Amino acid sequence: MTSFDERAREWDSDEHIATATAVAKAIRSAEKVQQRGLTNVRVADLDLLGDPGPPPRGFDLVISQLMLHHVSDTAALLRATNEALVPGGRIAMADLDAEDGTFHDPAAEGIHHRGFPRETLRSLAADAGFEDIHLGDATAIPRNGRTYPLFLLTARKPDAGRRQGEAAQPGL
Ligand SMILES: C[S@@+](CC[C@H](N)C(=O)[O-])C[C@H]1O[C@@H](n2cnc3c(N)ncnc32)[C@H](O)[C@@H]1O
């Protein structure tokens, strides 16, 4: 069991629920998930970079919140996520904008990034094969008298038969 699994038992504080609610609202408005009325949502618990065996495939949507800064190799994570998606599949990932390291307790473990500059993520997402890349505001977390903004990264894996950067057919 990982330390994240242990911490998950007591994770649902008012602050964490408020953040998740705000990010979910941002994802719904960005991805039109609500309008499509998705009912076949399935949750997969996996580590895209660390799990043994063949990498997972066939996902329509990968969402995450405050996960990216816990993974050291962001480029590899985005590449693995792209490979896990079906053609035309999407990501919606919320995380901290670049911060000065005060968001976490100094004793916190597994912090690999002090947030992210948005343009760095845009570039990494493009390099990983995504298109239709957007970086917008997700929410902000008040903590210790300060406010830490969160971005929402959304992007799309190109359709089958179409390479990154190639224009989509009109109407698609
Ligand atoms: C700070 S918690 C965020 C939990 C929750 N999403 C939230 O925002 O309240 C960090 C999350 O990143 C996940 N995580 C860390 N490294 C990961 C990895 N390599 N693959 C998948 N998830 C990972 C942990 O399992 C944990 O759920």
Side-chain angles (χ1 to χ4, degrees), residues 11-67:
W11 189 257
D12 295 336
S13 63
D14 289 347
E15 177 195 298
H16 291 153
I17 290 171
T19 303
T21 303
V23 168
K25 191 175 168 192
I27 290 174
R28 279 195 201 97
S29 77
E31 295 301 320
K32 301 191 172 116
V33 170
Q34 212 171 20
Q35 291 92 320
R36 291 173 65 189
L38 298 182
T39 55
N40 59 343
V41 175
R42 180 172 58 89
V43 176
D45 181 10
L46 46 88
D47 182 336
L48 281 173
L49 293 184
D51 284 345
R57 293 283 185 270
F59 291 91
D60 300 297
L61 174 67
V62 172
I63 62 174
S64 72
Q65 177 183 297
L66 294 173
M67 177 274 287

